Amino acid sequence: MIARATQTQTAPPSFRTGDERLIKLTANAARKVGSLLTKQGRPGGVLRVAVMGGGCSGLQYKMDLQDGPANRDILVETGGVRVVVDPKSALYVTGSELDYVDALQEGGFKVKNPNAATSCSCGESFSA
């Protein structure tokens, strides 16, 4: 008996398109993310913004560069950069603005989130 290998084709991820009402990047943040994507060899990549449990205030942001959106993601084009947010995180980041500050102290990415009821002094966690 001869066994045949079956080929399965993976379908492209199913995602939705959103707009800057979900999340917006400032010009500085867009330049920095674009630069980081280019350095990683991912000129068509995306910035993933997620909210996870943890941090001193209960919730914290997680950002990661990836090749593209995953299933169920919401894709937003802002400042020439593609940003993806999963549906659960979208509940917490709606209306947020991501900025990048190039400074020796307290530099880096900063999230201005209108949904944050409180935030900790480190600026990396919040409660909603």
Side-chain angles (χ1 to χ4, degrees), residues 1 71 96 99 104 110 112 115 118 125:
M1 184 183 273
N71 282 330
S96 293
D99 192 15
L104 186 58
K110 306 291 180 189
K112 295 175 189 166
N115 305 304
T118 61
S125 69

Side-chain angles (χ1 to χ4, degrees), residues 25-96:
L25 270 61
T26 64
N28 283 343
R31 274 192 297 276
K32 185 63 175 181
V33 171
S35 170
L36 292 170
L37 285 167
T38 301
K39 280 183 185 177
Q40 285 193 2
R42 301 177 185 199
V46 298
L47 169 67
R48 172 170 301 282
V49 177
V51 174
M52 305 175 67
C56 11
S57 293
L59 297 169
Q60 62 187 2
Y61 301 104
K62 180 180 179 203
M63 291 180 234
D64 191 22
L65 300 175
Q66 298 181 342
D67 292 328
N71 282 330
R72 299 181 32 115
D73 278 344
I74 303 167
L75 174 70
V76 175
E77 285 210 33
T78 172
V81 174
R82 298 182 330 145
V83 179
V84 293
V85 180
D86 66 87
K88 188 174 179 182
S89 295
L91 298 171
Y92 296 104
V93 301
T94 297
S96 293

Side-chain angles (χ1 to χ4, degrees), residues 13-27:
S14 172
F15 59 88
R16 296 181 293 167
T17 303
D19 59 34
E20 288 183 332
R21 289 177 293 179
L22 176 60
I23 191 162
K24 181 179 180 178
L25 270 61
T26 64

